[in-house]
Amino acid sequence: MWIQPVLIISMIAIAVYLTRSTPSDRHLAIRRMLLFGALVVGIALVLVPEWLTAIARVVGIGRGTDLLVYGSIVAFLLYVVTDYKRSVQQDRATTSLARELTLAEARIEDLTARQRDEH
């Protein structure tokens, strides 16, 4: 079966993606291209469902439905990892923003106290 190594490599690639640094503009472009590619493939498979069965037989799976389930599992894992990374990045940004706001308020209070002491 061809599909087993493909699925294992896909899951390892998702794990590597999880451990990589924060997303950049390049990652965003790749994500958009993958989304567009998945959209085109999805439309093609809706129009000609026999292609999915043919592809499934080529990779060693009997039914196209099974291939669709395997692909959906990999896509779901990729979505979960991407969403997790985005959530972590937003938490860091919120923490940094709160820290800067607190420091700015402390500076203003310190400056106000100094001006009060001078007068």
Side-chain angles (χ1 to χ4, degrees):
M1 285 180 111
W2 285 54
I3 194 67
Q4 290 172 333
V6 170
L7 290 174
I8 291 171
I9 290 170
S10 299
M11 291 183 190
I12 290 171
I14 290 171
V16 169
Y17 177 70
L18 176 64
T19 60
R20 291 195 57 184
S21 63
T22 58
S24 64
D25 292 339
R26 182 175 173 221
H27 289 130
L28 181 63
I30 290 171
R31 232 179 12 232
R32 286 182 179 165
M33 287 185 344
L34 286 175
L35 179 65
F36 181 74
L39 181 67
V40 169
V41 169
I43 290 171
L45 291 177
V46 166
L47 293 175
V48 188
E50 296 84 21
W51 289 356
L52 189 60
T53 303
I55 293 170
R57 287 187 180 140
V58 167
V59 297
I61 301 173
R63 299 184 317 167
T65 305
D66 293 338
L67 180 61
L68 185 63
V69 169
Y70 294 151
S72 297
I73 290 170
V74 171
F76 177 72
L77 286 174
L78 184 61
Y79 171 76
V80 168
V81 167
T82 302
D83 193 51
Y84 170 75
K85 288 185 77 166
R86 184 178 312 138
S87 173
V88 168
Q89 187 178 15
Q90 287 176 346
D91 286 346
R92 287 181 183 158
T94 301
T95 301
S96 176
L97 204 61
R99 185 178 300 135
E100 289 297 322
L101 180 64
T102 303
L103 290 174
E105 287 176 352
R107 285 186 203 118
I108 290 172
E109 288 178 11
D110 188 42
L111 187 62
T112 305
R114 283 185 191 170
Q115 289 176 347
R116 216 177 307 140
D117 290 342
E118 289 177 2
H119 296 287

